[in-house]
């Protein structure tokens, strides 16, 4: 892993840098990756993406909550997001983080909160994706996903990270559920005893996970901007006769927008993950770590500013 990537990911956890970053706000260029600070900002962005043929998900950015009351505020906000998506008739679902719903406080609290949102989404024909966070949360996140599915919720999905050694076993254990899985490379700083440090190994693991998931009975979200992997998924699905309703490409708002539209033109389903919210700092830092060249983009904005 590059030293720069580690440095940026470490800065993502620095409260001092976070305060500084938030202060300079969208001027730094966060607007390229984040749809705005409020839901009212995000709605026209989601609509514009929908109008160009892309479906979307949205996330209220934020990860740390200190107590149960704060998690209830987050749940209320997501209920409002699902209601608004319905009234605005957007092709948008919701992706959320369990730490935002209290996972670091109490697993059962997070489970109850997400259960409520999945139910609220079901009543509005909508869907909730549970993002995957740092490795210390993987067991609890997968336990909660499994429990939701066993309780009969079909409108919920999870995420597996190719950089973790464990993910192939996790996938094998989930396959009997016909899971709805997003496959990603992985965005956090993880130690080499549990995660592949070399990009080539992560990419190879991604191919294995993607093929196994596509070959299963569930739904696969191929979430990457890596064109080689995208073309590999397309050929694999073609060869195996996997119908297009069984998979989707997913990319991030602000990243490879032309590629997103090219895939739509080729008849594929493409979802653009389009987050919003005032707590965008850590999200932005992860986007920088993925492509340190984005730092130049930000600095240019700063000096232009
Ligand atoms: C829809 C979606 C949901 C995600 N959810 C999760 C999650 O729940 N948990 C998690 O750990 N990770 C998540 N990620 C992040 C993921 O783990 C990777 O960090 C991220 O997608 C970059 O990897 P890549 O697959 O695009 O491949 P890379 O090999 O990193 O990139 C391939 C090419 O894509 C372009 N690119 C990639 N990232 C950027 C960027 N930030 N800015 C500009 N260009 C870029 C570059 O051209 C690069 O050469 C998600 C990613 C997507 C697309």
């Amino acid at each position: 892993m590059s030293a720069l990537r580690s440095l940026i990911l470490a800065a993502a956890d620095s409260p001092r840098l976070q305060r500084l970053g938030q202060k300079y706000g969208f001027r730094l260029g966060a607007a390229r990756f984040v749809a705005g600070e409020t839901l009212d900002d995000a709605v026209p962005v989601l609509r514009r993406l929908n109008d160009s043929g892309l479906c979307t998900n949205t996330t209220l950015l934020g990860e740390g909550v200190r107590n149960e009351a704060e998690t209830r505020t987050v749940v209320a906000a997501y209920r409002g997001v699902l209601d608004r998506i319905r009234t605005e008739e957007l092709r948008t679902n919701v992706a959320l983080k369990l730490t935002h719903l209290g996972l670091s406080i109490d697993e059962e609290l997070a489970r109850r909160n997400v259960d409520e949102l999945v139910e609220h989404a079901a009543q509005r024909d909508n869907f909730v994706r549970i993002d995957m966070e740092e490795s210390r949360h993987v067991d609890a996140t997968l336990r909660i996903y499994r429990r939701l599915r066993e309780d009969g919720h079909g409108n919920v999905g999870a995420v597996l990270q190719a950089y973790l050694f464990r993910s192939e076993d996790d996938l094998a254990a989930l396959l009997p559920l016909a899971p709805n899985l997003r496959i990603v490379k992985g965005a956090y700083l993880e130690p080499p005893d549990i995660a592949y440090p070399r990009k080539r190994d992560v990419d190879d693991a991604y191919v294995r996970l993607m093929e196994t998931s596509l070959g299963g009975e569930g739904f696969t979200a191929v979430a990457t901007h890596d064109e080689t992997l995208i073309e590999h998924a397309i050929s694999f699905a073609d060869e195996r006769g996997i119908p297009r309703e069984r998979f989707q490409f997913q990319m991030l708002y602000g990243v490879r927008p032309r590629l997103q539209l090219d895939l739509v033109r080729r008849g594929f389903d493409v979802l653009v993950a389009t987050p919003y919210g005032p707590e965008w700092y850590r999200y932005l830092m992860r986007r920088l770590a993925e492509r340190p060249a984005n730092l130049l983009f930000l600095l240019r904005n700063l000096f232009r500013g």
Side-chain angles (χ1 to χ4, degrees):
M1 190 190 350
S2 88
L4 193 52
R5 177 169 182 255
S6 313
L7 201 70
I8 298 171
L9 285 173
D13 291 325
S14 153
R16 255 183 72 205
L17 287 176
Q18 174 157 4
R19 276 196 300 277
L20 206 69
Q22 299 277 157
K23 194 167 149 207
Y24 289 102
F26 270 48
R27 198 178 119 199
L28 272 175
R32 176 179 156 190
F33 299 103
V34 176
E37 295 205 319
T38 66
L39 183 57
D40 283 340
D41 294 337
V43 165
V45 177
L46 295 167
R47 186 175 309 290
R48 185 171 50 74
L49 292 164
N50 283 176
D51 287 348
S52 65
L54 298 156
C55 58
T56 44
N57 73 26
T58 195
T59 297
L60 168 59
L61 293 172
E63 288 159 47
V65 277
R66 282 162 299 186
N67 52 49
E68 182 168 352
E70 285 185 9
T71 72
R72 296 306 302 162
T73 308
V74 177
V75 170
Y78 271 119
R79 290 175 72 104
V81 171
L82 287 160
D83 294 346
R84 184 80 181 269
I85 291 170
R86 173 80 168 202
T87 51
E88 300 274 352
E89 299 182 10
L90 295 169
R91 284 196 298 136
T92 302
N93 58 48
V94 157
L96 49 76
K97 292 193 176 0
L98 290 181
T99 54
H100 208 191
L101 297 181
L103 187 62
S104 306
I105 303 168
D106 172 21
E107 181 175 335
E108 184 52 23
L109 169 68
R111 191 199 63 75
R112 280 198 312 274
N113 283 336
V114 71
D115 187 285
E116 177 180 330
L117 288 173
V118 169
E119 183 59 42
H120 195 77
Q123 288 161 8
R124 284 150 191 76
D125 292 325
N126 213 325
F127 174 86
V128 174
R129 168 87 52 198
I130 302 173
D131 287 346
M132 191 57 87
E133 304 176 66
E134 290 94 336
S135 55
R136 64 179 179 278
H137 299 303
V138 173
D139 277 324
T141 302
L142 294 180
R143 259 196 307 272
I144 290 174
Y145 176 63
R146 176 176 288 280
R147 173 87 180 270
L148 287 163
R149 291 298 311 272
E150 287 169 354
D151 287 349
H153 292 293
N155 63 321
V156 59
V159 178
L160 291 179
Q161 297 155 321
Y163 63 12
L164 292 186
F165 301 153
R166 60 174 289 170
S167 290
E168 285 179 72
D169 291 340
D170 289 333
L171 175 57
L174 288 169
L175 277 181
L177 293 173
N180 185 320
L181 291 176
R182 175 202 287 156
I183 312 291
V184 300
K185 290 191 186 178
Y188 298 87
L189 200 53
E190 298 291 355
D193 56 324
I194 61 163
Y196 298 106
R198 290 191 317 176
K199 178 174 160 52
R200 212 184 51 225
D201 295 327
V202 178
D203 291 354
D204 290 348
Y206 193 105
V207 170
R208 292 194 297 274
L209 285 173
M210 176 172 75
E211 290 187 350
T212 308
S213 181
L214 283 168
E217 299 293 313
F219 182 89
T220 307
V222 178
T224 180
H225 313 93
D226 186 328
E227 279 191 76
T228 310
L229 291 178
I230 290 170
E231 291 305 326
H232 186 98
I234 292 172
S235 328
F236 183 81
D238 264 357
E239 279 159 26
R240 301 294 166 104
I242 297 164
R244 289 188 178 190
E245 305 77 64
R246 291 263 314 284
F247 65 97
Q248 173 184 66
F249 294 105
Q250 296 194 349
M251 293 183 223
L252 301 175
Y253 178 63
V255 180
R256 311 293 313 265
R258 260 185 311 216
L259 177 59
Q260 297 170 6
L261 291 173
D262 282 347
L263 288 165
V264 169
R265 270 183 226 111
R266 288 167 66 186
F268 294 103
D269 193 12
V270 180
L271 176 145
V272 181
T274 312
Y276 77 95
E279 291 181 48
W280 45 261
Y281 173 79
R282 296 186 77 213
Y283 179 83
L284 178 67
M285 294 306 270
R286 286 199 291 274
R287 304 297 74 86
L288 294 183
E290 280 153 10
R291 192 160 177 267
N294 287 338
L295 261 176
L296 293 177
F297 163 83
L298 250 70
L299 290 173
R300 264 203 311 271
N301 280 3
L302 185 66
F303 291 117
R304 206 180 282 151

